[in-house]
Amino acid sequence: MIDEAKITPSAIFRFLWPCLAWVVLLAILTFAISAISPAMSRIATDTLIKLIMVTGLYIFIGNSGILSFGHGAFLIVSAYTSAWLTIPPMMKKVILPNLPQFLQLVDAAPYVGIVGGILLAALVALLIGIPLVRLSGIAASIGTFAFFIVVSVIYNNWTGWTKGTASLVGLPVYVGPKIALCAASVSLLVAWLFQTSRYGLLLRATREDLVAARASGIRAERLRLVAFVLSAAVAALGGILWGHSNGALSTANNVYLNLQFTIIAMLVVGGVRSLSGVVVGTLTLSIIGEIFRRLEIGVDIFGLNIILPGGSREVLLGLCMLLALILRPDGLTRGLELSWPRRSANRHKLPQENPMELHS
Amino acid sequence: MRHLDVVGLTVIYGAVRAVANMSIHLDEGETVALIGPNGAGKSSLLLTIAGVVPARSGSIKLRGEDIGSASVEQRVGSGISVVPETRDIFAKLSVHENLLIGASLRRDAAVVKTDIDRMYSLFPRLAERRKQMAGFLSGGEQQMLAIGRALMARPKLLMLDEPSLGLAPIITDKVYETIAELKKSGTSILLVEQNAERAFGVCDRAYIIQAGRVTLEGSPEELAKGGLVEQALFGRAAAGIVRTSPQVETAQ
């Protein structure tokens, strides 16, 4: 928490530093990579959008300690809502003739789609969260997964509104690296403000020891619900941008199950207990994933043509998560955040190989 | 004025009757000790008053108001704080954060800040380690942190469960100095101890508890006479657990 007694620009900067440092790094990477080629620019956009989803997931999992396998549902709900609002009416008449009249005629701007999608996802999170936050541990995780399956099956069979297993096309494609970067920065900032707030601290207390937290007068369920709704809203932003970056949506072939598994793996590999873990995990798995995607297509190394069988990427993803869980259960960052760079004389005393310090 | 009035309290874990029809009371500003061997039901009594463990029967009144059905959070809100035997500190959070959590129900941010500074002057060791993870503290420091956290809620009734357990004598002295200071400031204190001598040094009145019942009550002077405490603690302590059959339960 920032000390209210001394709010100066430098104090605010120091307070935001662990978050801002990552934003600056992401900005540099985004502009550098986007400049290489349009294909690289797409990869950067895709990675940033996943980062938003992981950040959303982190707000709940990181602070409450409850693993959620249900955030894919918020991605689905928000993405389709934005699609209904923003696909041009001319196209909607052809693609989704069964959509009700008022949605048929709506021709909303992108930001209306974003707000609408986020609001609906937050509302769904609130309704489903009320019973869910009463559960703890594995029961809560199974509950969230069941919720995901329900939503997934509904959207898969709700042909009139979602085209079922076929693709819903015609979404305006307005998301490029810059918009994705802005959205990712906002998400990271929201997550940072939440985790450093009073609510964040009290929620982490319930994560450490639920009984002791209750005995300190903390209303665990209420705090979890706040985090769950906020987390769903941020993840929803990612879900919406994903749709408007690809231009099409589909619930077929377990697209969202795979996506959800990917973002969970990213968070686990990076470390569920820190915002730095979100960035580190997302970047690490995106880079590894990209290398393997190339290998699946086939590359020539010293005249040797290497082609990996399709699906190696998914196997590798699972392997990374497994390795992380076995070798580094706290993730690559071990729950640490970036510390304020010190320029003091005794700098040599600091451990050089690990420039991170305990923050939360 | 009566601060706490417990009448006919019974607590049952499965087949074990941990607290059997126990009645104790505590006046405003009074320090009362509960003394007894392991398994006598002292901790269960404390946790039941705090609302962590449910009571089977009996009533708990705080300043005349029945709090038997109130949640833990509500009881904290009405001024009860407990420092459990397990020293429930949040091991992976910093010392400073632990203290802030103690003030979770308070809305007076500025006063909370001065209270935290007060804790640091009370326990200078904590000030030195304010940014460290609480799990890295020594046993004595953890006990100080647990007490400090309970005090951050500004309790009117503070319940301490064996604060000297597992601590070096010199640290125990420090903890008891703190208890004496709190007593002076007018906080009502309910203290669970096995170390009768320590408890007698600070309390106004004591209950001897055996096998879930109060067997003796009196001032430290009265109890210290005639070796009553020694007999209670070391004599028939083995009968600490009372098995209950369904018939006995329905008879209650």
Side-chain angles (χ1 to χ4, degrees), chain A residues 41-96:
Chain A
S41 162
R42 270 206 56 78
I43 292 169
T45 309
D46 191 62
T47 305
L48 286 167
I49 291 173
K50 290 213 175 87
L51 183 80
I52 300 168
M53 298 172 185
V54 180
T55 309
L57 197 62
Y58 161 75
I59 291 175
F60 182 67
I61 297 182
N63 292 298
S64 76
I66 299 167
L67 208 52
S68 164
F69 296 111
H71 275 59
F74 303 125
L75 303 179
I76 298 178
V77 168
S78 62
Y80 277 89
T81 307
S82 177
W84 294 327
L85 291 171
T86 58
I87 295 176
M90 297 276 285
M91 288 186 75
K92 270 191 271 199
K93 207 186 280 175
V94 181
I95 315 168
L96 295 168

Side-chain angles (χ1 to χ4, degrees), chain B residues 157-180:
Chain B
L157 169 60
L158 179 65
M159 302 194 290
L160 298 160
D161 197 351
E162 303 214 19
S164 66
L165 190 75
L167 299 186
I170 189 160
I171 308 291
T172 310
D173 288 345
K174 179 77 196 164
V175 168
Y176 270 85
E177 271 169 40
T178 312
I179 295 173

Side-chain angles (χ1 to χ4, degrees), chain A:
Chain A
M1 255 176 281
I2 189 161
D3 195 341
E4 280 157 28
K6 36 185 177 190
I7 296 180
T8 60
S10 102
I12 292 172
F13 184 71
R14 272 184 89 120
F15 164 71
L16 291 176
W17 165 254
C19 172
L20 285 182
W22 286 121
V23 169
V24 171
L25 179 79
L26 286 174
I28 295 169
L29 282 177
T30 306
F31 285 111
I33 290 170
S34 304
I36 299 171
S37 69
M40 290 304 275
S41 162
R42 270 206 56 78
I43 292 169
T45 309
D46 191 62
T47 305
L48 286 167
I49 291 173
K50 290 213 175 87
L51 183 80
I52 300 168
M53 298 172 185
V54 180
T55 309
L57 197 62
Y58 161 75
I59 291 175
F60 182 67
I61 297 182
N63 292 298
S64 76
I66 299 167
L67 208 52
S68 164
F69 296 111
H71 275 59
F74 303 125
L75 303 179
I76 298 178
V77 168
S78 62
Y80 277 89
T81 307
S82 177
W84 294 327
L85 291 171
T86 58
I87 295 176
M90 297 276 285
M91 288 186 75
K92 270 191 271 199
K93 207 186 280 175
V94 181
I95 315 168
L96 295 168
N98 295 325
L99 214 57
Q101 195 67 26
F102 71 98
L103 277 177
Q104 285 278 4
L105 298 175
V106 166
D107 186 12
Y111 74 88
V112 177
I114 292 177
V115 172
I118 289 178
L119 283 181
L120 191 67
L123 181 71
V124 172
L126 181 68
L127 294 178
I128 198 72
I130 290 169
L132 266 182
V133 294
R134 296 181 175 279
L135 305 174
S136 282
I138 191 73
S141 304
I142 293 170
T144 55
F145 189 63
F147 161 65
F148 168 76
I149 298 287
V150 169
V151 171
S152 177
V153 167
I154 290 174
Y155 275 71
N156 222 328
N157 292 285
W158 197 8
T159 318
W161 285 55
T162 65
K163 286 193 73 72
T165 49
S167 288
L168 178 60
V169 293
L171 281 80
V173 180
Y174 59 79
V175 182
K178 277 178 202 150
I179 286 182
L181 177 66
C182 289
S185 308
V186 170
S187 309
L188 287 175
L189 189 67
V190 167
W192 181 250
L193 291 178
F194 180 75
Q195 90 180 63
T196 49
S197 75
R198 189 186 149 79
Y199 288 123
L201 173 64
L202 297 184
L203 186 57
R204 284 199 301 284
T206 70
R207 174 190 77 187
E208 296 306 323
D209 189 333
L210 189 57
V211 176
R214 286 227 171 88
S216 301
I218 297 174
R219 289 169 177 81
E221 285 76 19
R222 199 183 294 182
L223 288 171
R224 283 178 181 172
L225 190 60
V226 170
F228 194 63
V229 172
L230 186 65
S231 155
V234 171
L237 176 62
I240 294 163
L241 297 186
W242 207 51
H244 290 284
S245 145
N246 296 329
L249 292 177
S250 171
T251 53
N253 300 324
N254 294 327
V255 175
Y256 281 93
L257 185 66
N258 291 343
L259 180 61
Q260 173 175 290
F261 181 68
T262 307
I263 61 175
I264 291 172
M266 284 170 167
L267 186 58
V268 169
V269 169
V272 290
R273 292 159 55 98
S274 72
L275 192 63
S276 300
V278 170
V279 183
V280 171
T282 308
L283 293 183
T284 309
L285 284 198
S286 293
I287 293 167
I288 296 176
E290 189 51 33
I291 292 170
F292 268 70
R293 195 181 62 81
R294 299 257 163 123
L295 288 175
E296 279 178 26
I297 299 167
V299 279
D300 285 309
I301 299 173
F302 305 121
L304 216 68
N305 192 263
I306 302 173
I307 301 179
L308 291 176
S312 314
R313 248 173 112 191
E314 279 71 26
V315 174
L316 183 90
L317 208 63
L319 204 66
C320 283
M321 193 157 150
L322 211 60
L323 281 176
L325 286 172
I326 294 166
L327 300 175
R328 259 184 116 127
D330 286 338
L332 292 171
T333 57
R334 298 215 156 126
L336 304 176
E337 299 289 8
L338 290 175
S339 71
W340 183 251
R342 290 178 220 193
R343 285 178 297 267
S344 53
N346 58 357
R347 185 176 183 149
H348 60 278
K349 284 184 191 162
L350 298 169
Q352 292 295 315
E353 73 279 10
N354 186 6
M356 293 171 166
E357 184 191 70
L358 177 79
H359 199 101
S360 67

